[in-house]
Amino acid sequence: TQLLEQSPQFLSIQEGENLTVYCNSSSVFSSLQWYRQEPGEGPVLLVTVVTGGEVKKLKRLTFQFGDARKDSSLHITAAQPGDTGLYLCAGAPHFGGNTGKLIFGQGTTLQVKP
Amino acid sequence: GAVVSQHPSRVICKSGTSVKIECRSLDFQATTMFWYRQFPKQSLMLMATSNEGSKATYEQGVEKDKFLINHASLTLSTLTVTSAHPEDSSFYICSATRTGGYYGTGELFFGEGSRLTVL
């Protein structure tokens, strides 16, 4: 069974601080997605990374896919209260075909205090 | 972007009744939809994979007679919680993946979620 270990699970920081969320696995993924979810709503896709070593930037968010496609990180620079939410990483297993069935990390609840 | 709509967003029911939640893909065809359950501040727990025109595939530990899934068309899947009890109270979310397109990216588009409260 493939697992994605996401850390930290809870993070409370002050506005302006930087943070990094990690997702690690011993298995290879074809792609990895990062989602953000606000209370009472469904997750919203932030980014998809596909190539080992790939780095994508979305304003103050930087996403990286490990060279071996087994891990990924999300770095937020100068966090703002609007960044508050649940961040989820999800990987598409390398083996098993394009079923759409993703492996989810445990989630990181981020709270950014003004 | 792709839109997946869920209805109702909130439902309150009495213990013993059944509740149906709909999941629609509004601007694309989805041969596969997924149903998840989520507890507060936790990740998504996959309940079942809904396949258009065939029986759903349930994850281990999920009662198929309790959570009935029907995927009658390429744009609609329904989850019926039968004989609901207070422990079934939760946030239920559906997602859909596009048919065709780039093979392998695995991107999912999620519904808004449905909050079920069983009294």
PDB file of all heavy atoms in Angstrom, chain A residues 30-31 33 35 37 40-43 48 86 88 97-102 104-106, chain B residues 32 34 36 38 41-44 46 59 91 93 103-108 110-112:
ATOM      1  N   SER A  30       3.417   9.098 -10.377  1.00  0.00           N
ATOM      2  CA  SER A  30       3.406   9.662 -11.725  1.00  0.00           C
ATOM      3  C   SER A  30       3.274  11.171 -11.677  1.00  0.00           C
ATOM      4  O   SER A  30       3.830  11.878 -12.516  1.00  0.00           O
ATOM      5  CB  SER A  30       2.235   9.091 -12.531  1.00  0.00           C
ATOM      6  OG  SER A  30       2.348   7.707 -12.674  1.00  0.00           O
ATOM      7  N   SER A  31       2.533  11.639 -10.741  1.00  0.00           N
ATOM      8  CA  SER A  31       2.326  13.067 -10.565  1.00  0.00           C
ATOM      9  C   SER A  31       1.908  13.312  -9.133  1.00  0.00           C
ATOM     10  O   SER A  31       1.511  12.379  -8.414  1.00  0.00           O
ATOM     11  CB  SER A  31       1.241  13.590 -11.518  1.00  0.00           C
ATOM     12  OG  SER A  31      -0.016  13.030 -11.185  1.00  0.00           O
ATOM     13  N   GLN A  33      -0.264  16.255  -6.747  1.00  0.00           N
ATOM     14  CA  GLN A  33      -1.066  17.460  -6.713  1.00  0.00           C
ATOM     15  C   GLN A  33      -1.067  18.046  -5.311  1.00  0.00           C
ATOM     16  O   GLN A  33      -0.976  17.339  -4.324  1.00  0.00           O
ATOM     17  CB  GLN A  33      -2.526  17.164  -7.097  1.00  0.00           C
ATOM     18  CG  GLN A  33      -2.753  16.849  -8.564  1.00  0.00           C
ATOM     19  CD  GLN A  33      -2.387  15.419  -8.899  1.00  0.00           C
ATOM     20  OE1 GLN A  33      -2.710  14.515  -8.170  1.00  0.00           O
ATOM     21  NE2 GLN A  33      -1.702  15.219 -10.013  1.00  0.00           N
ATOM     22  N   TYR A  35      -3.551  20.555  -2.994  1.00  0.00           N
ATOM     23  CA  TYR A  35      -4.870  21.164  -2.903  1.00  0.00           C
ATOM     24  C   TYR A  35      -4.940  22.028  -1.649  1.00  0.00           C
ATOM     25  O   TYR A  35      -4.253  21.774  -0.663  1.00  0.00           O
ATOM     26  CB  TYR A  35      -5.966  20.092  -2.798  1.00  0.00           C
ATOM     27  CG  TYR A  35      -6.097  19.203  -4.013  1.00  0.00           C
ATOM     28  CD1 TYR A  35      -5.309  18.066  -4.149  1.00  0.00           C
ATOM     29  CD2 TYR A  35      -7.014  19.483  -5.013  1.00  0.00           C
ATOM     30  CE1 TYR A  35      -5.431  17.234  -5.252  1.00  0.00           C
ATOM     31  CE2 TYR A  35      -7.149  18.658  -6.126  1.00  0.00           C
ATOM     32  CZ  TYR A  35      -6.354  17.542  -6.229  1.00  0.00           C
ATOM     33  OH  TYR A  35      -6.474  16.724  -7.325  1.00  0.00           O
ATOM     34  N   GLN A  37      -7.964  23.582   0.990  1.00  0.00           N
ATOM     35  CA  GLN A  37      -9.366  23.453   1.338  1.00  0.00           C
ATOM     36  C   GLN A  37      -9.699  24.402   2.474  1.00  0.00           C
ATOM     37  O   GLN A  37      -8.988  24.463   3.477  1.00  0.00           O
ATOM     38  CB  GLN A  37      -9.673  22.012   1.762  1.00  0.00           C
ATOM     39  CG  GLN A  37     -11.131  21.746   2.074  1.00  0.00           C
ATOM     40  CD  GLN A  37     -11.371  20.326   2.538  1.00  0.00           C
ATOM     41  OE1 GLN A  37     -10.451  19.633   2.968  1.00  0.00           O
ATOM     42  NE2 GLN A  37     -12.608  19.863   2.459  1.00  0.00           N
ATOM     43  N   GLY A  40     -15.765  23.818   5.278  1.00  0.00           N
ATOM     44  CA  GLY A  40     -17.078  23.726   4.668  1.00  0.00           C
ATOM     45  C   GLY A  40     -17.077  23.722   3.156  1.00  0.00           C
ATOM     46  O   GLY A  40     -18.148  23.799   2.536  1.00  0.00           O
ATOM     47  N   GLU A  41     -15.897  23.624   2.553  1.00  0.00           N
ATOM     48  CA  GLU A  41     -15.814  23.609   1.102  1.00  0.00           C
ATOM     49  C   GLU A  41     -14.976  22.433   0.630  1.00  0.00           C
ATOM     50  O   GLU A  41     -14.261  21.804   1.411  1.00  0.00           O
ATOM     51  CB  GLU A  41     -15.207  24.915   0.583  1.00  0.00           C
ATOM     52  CG  GLU A  41     -16.019  26.145   0.934  1.00  0.00           C
ATOM     53  CD  GLU A  41     -15.396  27.413   0.386  1.00  0.00           C
ATOM     54  OE1 GLU A  41     -14.469  27.329  -0.425  1.00  0.00           O
ATOM     55  OE2 GLU A  41     -15.867  28.496   0.785  1.00  0.00           O
ATOM     56  N   GLY A  42     -15.054  22.141  -0.671  1.00  0.00           N
ATOM     57  CA  GLY A  42     -14.234  21.077  -1.211  1.00  0.00           C
ATOM     58  C   GLY A  42     -12.827  21.570  -1.506  1.00  0.00           C
ATOM     59  O   GLY A  42     -12.583  22.777  -1.611  1.00  0.00           O
ATOM     60  N   PRO A  43     -11.871  20.655  -1.640  1.00  0.00           N
ATOM     61  CA  PRO A  43     -10.503  21.040  -1.966  1.00  0.00           C
ATOM     62  C   PRO A  43     -10.412  21.675  -3.348  1.00  0.00           C
ATOM     63  O   PRO A  43     -11.132  21.296  -4.270  1.00  0.00           O
ATOM     64  CB  PRO A  43      -9.744  19.710  -1.939  1.00  0.00           C
ATOM     65  CG  PRO A  43     -10.584  18.796  -1.122  1.00  0.00           C
ATOM     66  CD  PRO A  43     -11.998  19.210  -1.413  1.00  0.00           C
ATOM     67  N   THR A  48      -0.137  20.902 -10.118  1.00  0.00           N
ATOM     68  CA  THR A  48       0.240  19.521 -10.408  1.00  0.00           C
ATOM     69  C   THR A  48       1.701  19.518 -10.830  1.00  0.00           C
ATOM     70  O   THR A  48       2.102  20.324 -11.675  1.00  0.00           O
ATOM     71  CB  THR A  48      -0.608  18.938 -11.545  1.00  0.00           C
ATOM     72  OG1 THR A  48      -1.981  18.951 -11.153  1.00  0.00           O
ATOM     73  CG2 THR A  48      -0.203  17.505 -11.853  1.00  0.00           C
ATOM     74  N   LEU A  86      -6.601  24.172   5.033  1.00  0.00           N
ATOM     75  CA  LEU A  86      -6.062  22.809   5.067  1.00  0.00           C
ATOM     76  C   LEU A  86      -5.379  22.544   3.730  1.00  0.00           C
ATOM     77  O   LEU A  86      -5.999  22.681   2.680  1.00  0.00           O
ATOM     78  CB  LEU A  86      -7.186  21.797   5.302  1.00  0.00           C
ATOM     79  CG  LEU A  86      -6.783  20.319   5.261  1.00  0.00           C
ATOM     80  CD1 LEU A  86      -5.880  19.976   6.441  1.00  0.00           C
ATOM     81  CD2 LEU A  86      -8.032  19.430   5.285  1.00  0.00           C
ATOM     82  N   LEU A  88      -3.500  19.864   1.288  1.00  0.00           N
ATOM     83  CA  LEU A  88      -3.451  18.427   1.047  1.00  0.00           C
ATOM     84  C   LEU A  88      -2.536  18.124  -0.126  1.00  0.00           C
ATOM     85  O   LEU A  88      -2.636  18.772  -1.169  1.00  0.00           O
ATOM     86  CB  LEU A  88      -4.846  17.886   0.727  1.00  0.00           C
ATOM     87  CG  LEU A  88      -5.902  17.977   1.813  1.00  0.00           C
ATOM     88  CD1 LEU A  88      -7.287  17.816   1.225  1.00  0.00           C
ATOM     89  CD2 LEU A  88      -5.662  16.906   2.868  1.00  0.00           C
ATOM     90  N   GLY A  97      -2.104   2.356 -13.628  1.00  0.00           N
ATOM     91  CA  GLY A  97      -2.930   2.986 -14.640  1.00  0.00           C
ATOM     92  C   GLY A  97      -3.538   4.298 -14.189  1.00  0.00           C
ATOM     93  O   GLY A  97      -3.479   4.662 -13.020  1.00  0.00           O
ATOM     94  N   ASN A  98      -4.125   4.992 -15.118  1.00  0.00           N
ATOM     95  CA  ASN A  98      -4.704   6.302 -14.826  1.00  0.00           C
ATOM     96  C   ASN A  98      -6.132   6.124 -14.320  1.00  0.00           C
ATOM     97  O   ASN A  98      -7.094   6.427 -15.010  1.00  0.00           O
ATOM     98  CB  ASN A  98      -4.682   7.175 -16.082  1.00  0.00           C
ATOM     99  CG  ASN A  98      -5.224   8.562 -15.804  1.00  0.00           C
ATOM    100  OD1 ASN A  98      -5.206   9.030 -14.675  1.00  0.00           O
ATOM    101  ND2 ASN A  98      -5.728   9.203 -16.830  1.00  0.00           N
ATOM    102  N   THR A  99      -6.269   5.617 -13.108  1.00  0.00           N
ATOM    103  CA  THR A  99      -7.604   5.392 -12.560  1.00  0.00           C
ATOM    104  C   THR A  99      -8.192   6.648 -11.951  1.00  0.00           C
ATOM    105  O   THR A  99      -9.388   6.698 -11.680  1.00  0.00           O
ATOM    106  CB  THR A  99      -7.565   4.305 -11.477  1.00  0.00           C
ATOM    107  OG1 THR A  99      -6.754   4.777 -10.394  1.00  0.00           O
ATOM    108  CG2 THR A  99      -6.991   3.009 -12.024  1.00  0.00           C
ATOM    109  N   GLY A 100      -7.368   7.627 -11.697  1.00  0.00           N
ATOM    110  CA  GLY A 100      -7.816   8.827 -11.015  1.00  0.00           C
ATOM    111  C   GLY A 100      -7.804   8.685  -9.514  1.00  0.00           C
ATOM    112  O   GLY A 100      -8.089   9.627  -8.790  1.00  0.00           O
ATOM    113  N   LYS A 101      -7.493   7.493  -9.035  1.00  0.00           N
ATOM    114  CA  LYS A 101      -7.490   7.256  -7.587  1.00  0.00           C
ATOM    115  C   LYS A 101      -6.180   7.768  -7.025  1.00  0.00           C
ATOM    116  O   LYS A 101      -5.106   7.270  -7.362  1.00  0.00           O
ATOM    117  CB  LYS A 101      -7.637   5.757  -7.330  1.00  0.00           C
ATOM    118  CG  LYS A 101      -7.837   5.367  -5.884  1.00  0.00           C
ATOM    119  CD  LYS A 101      -8.114   3.864  -5.798  1.00  0.00           C
ATOM    120  CE  LYS A 101      -8.256   3.405  -4.373  1.00  0.00           C
ATOM    121  NZ  LYS A 101      -8.569   1.958  -4.299  1.00  0.00           N
ATOM    122  N   LEU A 102      -6.259   8.779  -6.188  1.00  0.00           N
ATOM    123  CA  LEU A 102      -5.076   9.399  -5.620  1.00  0.00           C
ATOM    124  C   LEU A 102      -4.826   8.931  -4.194  1.00  0.00           C
ATOM    125  O   LEU A 102      -5.741   8.568  -3.473  1.00  0.00           O
ATOM    126  CB  LEU A 102      -5.217  10.926  -5.618  1.00  0.00           C
ATOM    127  CG  LEU A 102      -5.413  11.615  -6.976  1.00  0.00           C
ATOM    128  CD1 LEU A 102      -5.506  13.112  -6.792  1.00  0.00           C
ATOM    129  CD2 LEU A 102      -4.287  11.255  -7.926  1.00  0.00           C
ATOM    130  N   PHE A 104      -3.758  10.282  -0.688  1.00  0.00           N
ATOM    131  CA  PHE A 104      -3.732  11.578  -0.006  1.00  0.00           C
ATOM    132  C   PHE A 104      -2.825  11.547   1.212  1.00  0.00           C
ATOM    133  O   PHE A 104      -2.754  10.554   1.945  1.00  0.00           O
ATOM    134  CB  PHE A 104      -5.141  11.971   0.444  1.00  0.00           C
ATOM    135  CG  PHE A 104      -5.971  12.551  -0.672  1.00  0.00           C
ATOM    136  CD1 PHE A 104      -6.695  11.719  -1.503  1.00  0.00           C
ATOM    137  CD2 PHE A 104      -6.001  13.917  -0.883  1.00  0.00           C
ATOM    138  CE1 PHE A 104      -7.460  12.246  -2.535  1.00  0.00           C
ATOM    139  CE2 PHE A 104      -6.761  14.447  -1.912  1.00  0.00           C
ATOM    140  CZ  PHE A 104      -7.488  13.614  -2.746  1.00  0.00           C
ATOM    141  N   GLY A 105      -2.152  12.669   1.441  1.00  0.00           N
ATOM    142  CA  GLY A 105      -1.436  12.859   2.694  1.00  0.00           C
ATOM    143  C   GLY A 105      -2.442  13.180   3.789  1.00  0.00           C
ATOM    144  O   GLY A 105      -3.636  13.350   3.544  1.00  0.00           O
ATOM    145  N   GLN A 106      -1.938  13.269   5.024  1.00  0.00           N
ATOM    146  CA  GLN A 106      -2.815  13.470   6.172  1.00  0.00           C
ATOM    147  C   GLN A 106      -3.345  14.898   6.247  1.00  0.00           C
ATOM    148  O   GLN A 106      -4.269  15.181   7.009  1.00  0.00           O
ATOM    149  CB  GLN A 106      -2.087  13.143   7.486  1.00  0.00           C
ATOM    150  CG  GLN A 106      -1.642  11.701   7.612  1.00  0.00           C
ATOM    151  CD  GLN A 106      -0.229  11.495   7.123  1.00  0.00           C
ATOM    152  OE1 GLN A 106       0.250  12.191   6.228  1.00  0.00           O
ATOM    153  NE2 GLN A 106       0.439  10.535   7.725  1.00  0.00           N
TER     154      GLN A 106
ATOM    155  N   THR B  32     -15.497   8.231 -14.142  1.00  0.00           N
ATOM    156  CA  THR B  32     -15.164   7.831 -12.778  1.00  0.00           C
ATOM    157  C   THR B  32     -15.337   8.992 -11.822  1.00  0.00           C
ATOM    158  O   THR B  32     -14.857  10.088 -12.093  1.00  0.00           O
ATOM    159  CB  THR B  32     -13.710   7.324 -12.697  1.00  0.00           C
ATOM    160  OG1 THR B  32     -13.529   6.257 -13.621  1.00  0.00           O
ATOM    161  CG2 THR B  32     -13.402   6.829 -11.301  1.00  0.00           C
ATOM    162  N   PHE B  34     -15.398   9.804  -7.420  1.00  0.00           N
ATOM    163  CA  PHE B  34     -14.967   9.263  -6.133  1.00  0.00           C
ATOM    164  C   PHE B  34     -15.762   9.914  -5.013  1.00  0.00           C
ATOM    165  O   PHE B  34     -16.098  11.100  -5.077  1.00  0.00           O
ATOM    166  CB  PHE B  34     -13.474   9.535  -5.912  1.00  0.00           C
ATOM    167  CG  PHE B  34     -12.596   8.949  -6.984  1.00  0.00           C
ATOM    168  CD1 PHE B  34     -12.251   9.689  -8.099  1.00  0.00           C
ATOM    169  CD2 PHE B  34     -12.112   7.656  -6.872  1.00  0.00           C
ATOM    170  CE1 PHE B  34     -11.458   9.165  -9.096  1.00  0.00           C
ATOM    171  CE2 PHE B  34     -11.307   7.117  -7.866  1.00  0.00           C
ATOM    172  CZ  PHE B  34     -10.994   7.867  -8.976  1.00  0.00           C
ATOM    173  N   TYR B  36     -15.733  10.632  -0.852  1.00  0.00           N
ATOM    174  CA  TYR B  36     -14.873  10.693   0.312  1.00  0.00           C
ATOM    175  C   TYR B  36     -15.684  11.104   1.532  1.00  0.00           C
ATOM    176  O   TYR B  36     -16.719  11.755   1.432  1.00  0.00           O
ATOM    177  CB  TYR B  36     -13.767  11.742   0.139  1.00  0.00           C
ATOM    178  CG  TYR B  36     -12.906  11.578  -1.080  1.00  0.00           C
ATOM    179  CD1 TYR B  36     -13.322  12.085  -2.302  1.00  0.00           C
ATOM    180  CD2 TYR B  36     -11.672  10.950  -1.018  1.00  0.00           C
ATOM    181  CE1 TYR B  36     -12.544  11.956  -3.434  1.00  0.00           C
ATOM    182  CE2 TYR B  36     -10.883  10.816  -2.149  1.00  0.00           C
ATOM    183  CZ  TYR B  36     -11.324  11.327  -3.347  1.00  0.00           C
ATOM    184  OH  TYR B  36     -10.555  11.205  -4.468  1.00  0.00           O
ATOM    185  N   GLN B  38     -14.877  13.059   5.276  1.00  0.00           N
ATOM    186  CA  GLN B  38     -13.840  13.849   5.928  1.00  0.00           C
ATOM    187  C   GLN B  38     -14.284  14.268   7.319  1.00  0.00           C
ATOM    188  O   GLN B  38     -15.380  14.826   7.492  1.00  0.00           O
ATOM    189  CB  GLN B  38     -13.517  15.092   5.088  1.00  0.00           C
ATOM    190  CG  GLN B  38     -12.339  15.896   5.611  1.00  0.00           C
ATOM    191  CD  GLN B  38     -12.030  17.083   4.727  1.00  0.00           C
ATOM    192  OE1 GLN B  38     -12.923  17.693   4.158  1.00  0.00           O
ATOM    193  NE2 GLN B  38     -10.745  17.408   4.602  1.00  0.00           N
ATOM    194  N   LYS B  41     -10.663  18.772  10.354  1.00  0.00           N
ATOM    195  CA  LYS B  41      -9.219  18.990  10.304  1.00  0.00           C
ATOM    196  C   LYS B  41      -8.443  17.729   9.931  1.00  0.00           C
ATOM    197  O   LYS B  41      -7.269  17.601  10.289  1.00  0.00           O
ATOM    198  CB  LYS B  41      -8.718  19.568  11.626  1.00  0.00           C
ATOM    199  CG  LYS B  41      -9.306  20.948  11.922  1.00  0.00           C
ATOM    200  CD  LYS B  41      -8.687  21.577  13.151  1.00  0.00           C
ATOM    201  CE  LYS B  41      -9.276  22.970  13.374  1.00  0.00           C
ATOM    202  NZ  LYS B  41      -8.690  23.639  14.557  1.00  0.00           N
ATOM    203  N   GLN B  42      -9.087  16.847   9.246  1.00  0.00           N
ATOM    204  CA  GLN B  42      -8.407  15.642   8.787  1.00  0.00           C
ATOM    205  C   GLN B  42      -8.449  15.555   7.273  1.00  0.00           C
ATOM    206  O   GLN B  42      -9.171  16.295   6.602  1.00  0.00           O
ATOM    207  CB  GLN B  42      -9.049  14.392   9.404  1.00  0.00           C
ATOM    208  CG  GLN B  42      -8.838  14.271  10.889  1.00  0.00           C
ATOM    209  CD  GLN B  42      -9.308  12.936  11.423  1.00  0.00           C
ATOM    210  OE1 GLN B  42      -9.366  11.953  10.699  1.00  0.00           O
ATOM    211  NE2 GLN B  42      -9.641  12.895  12.703  1.00  0.00           N
ATOM    212  N   SER B  43      -7.654  14.641   6.766  1.00  0.00           N
ATOM    213  CA  SER B  43      -7.590  14.460   5.323  1.00  0.00           C
ATOM    214  C   SER B  43      -8.825  13.721   4.817  1.00  0.00           C
ATOM    215  O   SER B  43      -9.718  13.372   5.589  1.00  0.00           O
ATOM    216  CB  SER B  43      -6.326  13.677   4.971  1.00  0.00           C
ATOM    217  OG  SER B  43      -6.135  13.638   3.570  1.00  0.00           O
ATOM    218  N   LEU B  44      -8.871  13.511   3.535  1.00  0.00           N
ATOM    219  CA  LEU B  44     -10.004  12.828   2.915  1.00  0.00           C
ATOM    220  C   LEU B  44      -9.847  11.322   3.051  1.00  0.00           C
ATOM    221  O   LEU B  44      -8.762  10.789   2.863  1.00  0.00           O
ATOM    222  CB  LEU B  44     -10.083  13.185   1.430  1.00  0.00           C
ATOM    223  CG  LEU B  44     -10.132  14.667   1.093  1.00  0.00           C
ATOM    224  CD1 LEU B  44     -10.141  14.855  -0.407  1.00  0.00           C
ATOM    225  CD2 LEU B  44     -11.341  15.306   1.729  1.00  0.00           C
ATOM    226  N   LEU B  46     -11.111   7.997   1.346  1.00  0.00           N
ATOM    227  CA  LEU B  46     -11.829   7.472   0.185  1.00  0.00           C
ATOM    228  C   LEU B  46     -12.795   6.388   0.620  1.00  0.00           C
ATOM    229  O   LEU B  46     -12.418   5.447   1.321  1.00  0.00           O
ATOM    230  CB  LEU B  46     -10.843   6.906  -0.835  1.00  0.00           C
ATOM    231  CG  LEU B  46     -11.448   6.328  -2.117  1.00  0.00           C
ATOM    232  CD1 LEU B  46     -12.160   7.414  -2.925  1.00  0.00           C
ATOM    233  CD2 LEU B  46     -10.383   5.646  -2.958  1.00  0.00           C
ATOM    234  N   GLU B  59     -14.020   0.822  -0.684  1.00  0.00           N
ATOM    235  CA  GLU B  59     -12.788   0.618   0.064  1.00  0.00           C
ATOM    236  C   GLU B  59     -13.063  -0.307   1.252  1.00  0.00           C
ATOM    237  O   GLU B  59     -14.208  -0.459   1.705  1.00  0.00           O
ATOM    238  CB  GLU B  59     -12.246   1.951   0.556  1.00  0.00           C
ATOM    239  CG  GLU B  59     -11.814   2.884  -0.561  1.00  0.00           C
ATOM    240  CD  GLU B  59     -10.711   2.307  -1.422  1.00  0.00           C
ATOM    241  OE1 GLU B  59      -9.641   1.974  -0.872  1.00  0.00           O
ATOM    242  OE2 GLU B  59     -10.922   2.195  -2.654  1.00  0.00           O
ATOM    243  N   PHE B  91     -18.739  15.180   6.793  1.00  0.00           N
ATOM    244  CA  PHE B  91     -18.636  15.977   5.574  1.00  0.00           C
ATOM    245  C   PHE B  91     -18.320  15.006   4.449  1.00  0.00           C
ATOM    246  O   PHE B  91     -17.305  14.309   4.504  1.00  0.00           O
ATOM    247  CB  PHE B  91     -17.530  17.026   5.752  1.00  0.00           C
ATOM    248  CG  PHE B  91     -17.523  18.117   4.719  1.00  0.00           C
ATOM    249  CD1 PHE B  91     -18.647  18.885   4.488  1.00  0.00           C
ATOM    250  CD2 PHE B  91     -16.375  18.394   3.992  1.00  0.00           C
ATOM    251  CE1 PHE B  91     -18.647  19.910   3.549  1.00  0.00           C
ATOM    252  CE2 PHE B  91     -16.350  19.414   3.052  1.00  0.00           C
ATOM    253  CZ  PHE B  91     -17.493  20.174   2.824  1.00  0.00           C
ATOM    254  N   ILE B  93     -17.614  14.389   0.427  1.00  0.00           N
ATOM    255  CA  ILE B  93     -17.130  15.119  -0.751  1.00  0.00           C
ATOM    256  C   ILE B  93     -17.003  14.159  -1.924  1.00  0.00           C
ATOM    257  O   ILE B  93     -16.573  13.012  -1.758  1.00  0.00           O
ATOM    258  CB  ILE B  93     -15.749  15.753  -0.499  1.00  0.00           C
ATOM    259  CG1 ILE B  93     -15.750  16.580   0.776  1.00  0.00           C
ATOM    260  CG2 ILE B  93     -15.316  16.627  -1.684  1.00  0.00           C
ATOM    261  CD1 ILE B  93     -14.375  17.137   1.122  1.00  0.00           C
ATOM    262  N   TYR B 103      -3.018  11.727 -20.230  1.00  0.00           N
ATOM    263  CA  TYR B 103      -3.102  10.483 -19.452  1.00  0.00           C
ATOM    264  C   TYR B 103      -2.040  10.505 -18.351  1.00  0.00           C
ATOM    265  O   TYR B 103      -0.868  10.581 -18.607  1.00  0.00           O
ATOM    266  CB  TYR B 103      -2.848   9.298 -20.391  1.00  0.00           C
ATOM    267  CG  TYR B 103      -3.030   7.945 -19.760  1.00  0.00           C
ATOM    268  CD1 TYR B 103      -4.253   7.318 -19.774  1.00  0.00           C
ATOM    269  CD2 TYR B 103      -1.965   7.304 -19.154  1.00  0.00           C
ATOM    270  CE1 TYR B 103      -4.424   6.073 -19.207  1.00  0.00           C
ATOM    271  CE2 TYR B 103      -2.114   6.054 -18.576  1.00  0.00           C
ATOM    272  CZ  TYR B 103      -3.359   5.434 -18.613  1.00  0.00           C
ATOM    273  OH  TYR B 103      -3.529   4.197 -18.060  1.00  0.00           O
ATOM    274  N   GLY B 104      -2.470  10.423 -17.138  1.00  0.00           N
ATOM    275  CA  GLY B 104      -1.500  10.244 -16.076  1.00  0.00           C
ATOM    276  C   GLY B 104      -1.353  11.376 -15.093  1.00  0.00           C
ATOM    277  O   GLY B 104      -0.696  11.200 -14.079  1.00  0.00           O
ATOM    278  N   THR B 105      -1.938  12.544 -15.353  1.00  0.00           N
ATOM    279  CA  THR B 105      -1.738  13.607 -14.381  1.00  0.00           C
ATOM    280  C   THR B 105      -2.576  13.387 -13.134  1.00  0.00           C
ATOM    281  O   THR B 105      -2.243  13.904 -12.083  1.00  0.00           O
ATOM    282  CB  THR B 105      -2.089  14.976 -14.978  1.00  0.00           C
ATOM    283  OG1 THR B 105      -3.438  14.931 -15.458  1.00  0.00           O
ATOM    284  CG2 THR B 105      -1.157  15.332 -16.109  1.00  0.00           C
ATOM    285  N   GLY B 106      -3.671  12.648 -13.249  1.00  0.00           N
ATOM    286  CA  GLY B 106      -4.447  12.286 -12.079  1.00  0.00           C
ATOM    287  C   GLY B 106      -5.152  13.431 -11.401  1.00  0.00           C
ATOM    288  O   GLY B 106      -5.504  13.332 -10.235  1.00  0.00           O
ATOM    289  N   GLU B 107      -5.359  14.530 -12.082  1.00  0.00           N
ATOM    290  CA  GLU B 107      -6.005  15.671 -11.435  1.00  0.00           C
ATOM    291  C   GLU B 107      -7.464  15.380 -11.147  1.00  0.00           C
ATOM    292  O   GLU B 107      -8.174  14.840 -11.974  1.00  0.00           O
ATOM    293  CB  GLU B 107      -5.893  16.912 -12.328  1.00  0.00           C
ATOM    294  CG  GLU B 107      -4.467  17.398 -12.499  1.00  0.00           C
ATOM    295  CD  GLU B 107      -4.362  18.510 -13.500  1.00  0.00           C
ATOM    296  OE1 GLU B 107      -5.310  18.694 -14.283  1.00  0.00           O
ATOM    297  OE2 GLU B 107      -3.324  19.185 -13.526  1.00  0.00           O
ATOM    298  N   LEU B 108      -7.855  15.757  -9.941  1.00  0.00           N
ATOM    299  CA  LEU B 108      -9.237  15.587  -9.543  1.00  0.00           C
ATOM    300  C   LEU B 108      -9.893  16.945  -9.365  1.00  0.00           C
ATOM    301  O   LEU B 108      -9.252  17.906  -8.931  1.00  0.00           O
ATOM    302  CB  LEU B 108      -9.334  14.821  -8.220  1.00  0.00           C
ATOM    303  CG  LEU B 108      -8.906  13.367  -8.224  1.00  0.00           C
ATOM    304  CD1 LEU B 108      -9.005  12.807  -6.811  1.00  0.00           C
ATOM    305  CD2 LEU B 108      -9.752  12.552  -9.176  1.00  0.00           C
ATOM    306  N   PHE B 110     -13.040  18.624  -7.343  1.00  0.00           N
ATOM    307  CA  PHE B 110     -13.881  18.297  -6.201  1.00  0.00           C
ATOM    308  C   PHE B 110     -15.172  19.091  -6.182  1.00  0.00           C
ATOM    309  O   PHE B 110     -15.220  20.251  -6.608  1.00  0.00           O
ATOM    310  CB  PHE B 110     -13.122  18.576  -4.902  1.00  0.00           C
ATOM    311  CG  PHE B 110     -12.046  17.574  -4.611  1.00  0.00           C
ATOM    312  CD1 PHE B 110     -10.772  17.750  -5.110  1.00  0.00           C
ATOM    313  CD2 PHE B 110     -12.312  16.452  -3.837  1.00  0.00           C
ATOM    314  CE1 PHE B 110      -9.766  16.829  -4.853  1.00  0.00           C
ATOM    315  CE2 PHE B 110     -11.320  15.527  -3.577  1.00  0.00           C
ATOM    316  CZ  PHE B 110     -10.051  15.711  -4.086  1.00  0.00           C
ATOM    317  N   GLY B 111     -16.210  18.459  -5.648  1.00  0.00           N
ATOM    318  CA  GLY B 111     -17.436  19.171  -5.352  1.00  0.00           C
ATOM    319  C   GLY B 111     -17.258  20.017  -4.108  1.00  0.00           C
ATOM    320  O   GLY B 111     -16.213  19.976  -3.437  1.00  0.00           O
ATOM    321  N   GLU B 112     -18.304  20.767  -3.790  1.00  0.00           N
ATOM    322  CA  GLU B 112     -18.225  21.688  -2.658  1.00  0.00           C
ATOM    323  C   GLU B 112     -18.380  20.976  -1.314  1.00  0.00           C
ATOM    324  O   GLU B 112     -18.130  21.559  -0.267  1.00  0.00           O
ATOM    325  CB  GLU B 112     -19.320  22.765  -2.762  1.00  0.00           C
ATOM    326  CG  GLU B 112     -19.331  23.512  -4.088  1.00  0.00           C
ATOM    327  CD  GLU B 112     -20.287  22.892  -5.089  1.00  0.00           C
ATOM    328  OE1 GLU B 112     -20.543  21.666  -5.010  1.00  0.00           O
ATOM    329  OE2 GLU B 112     -20.780  23.638  -5.959  1.00  0.00           O
TER     330      GLU B 112
END
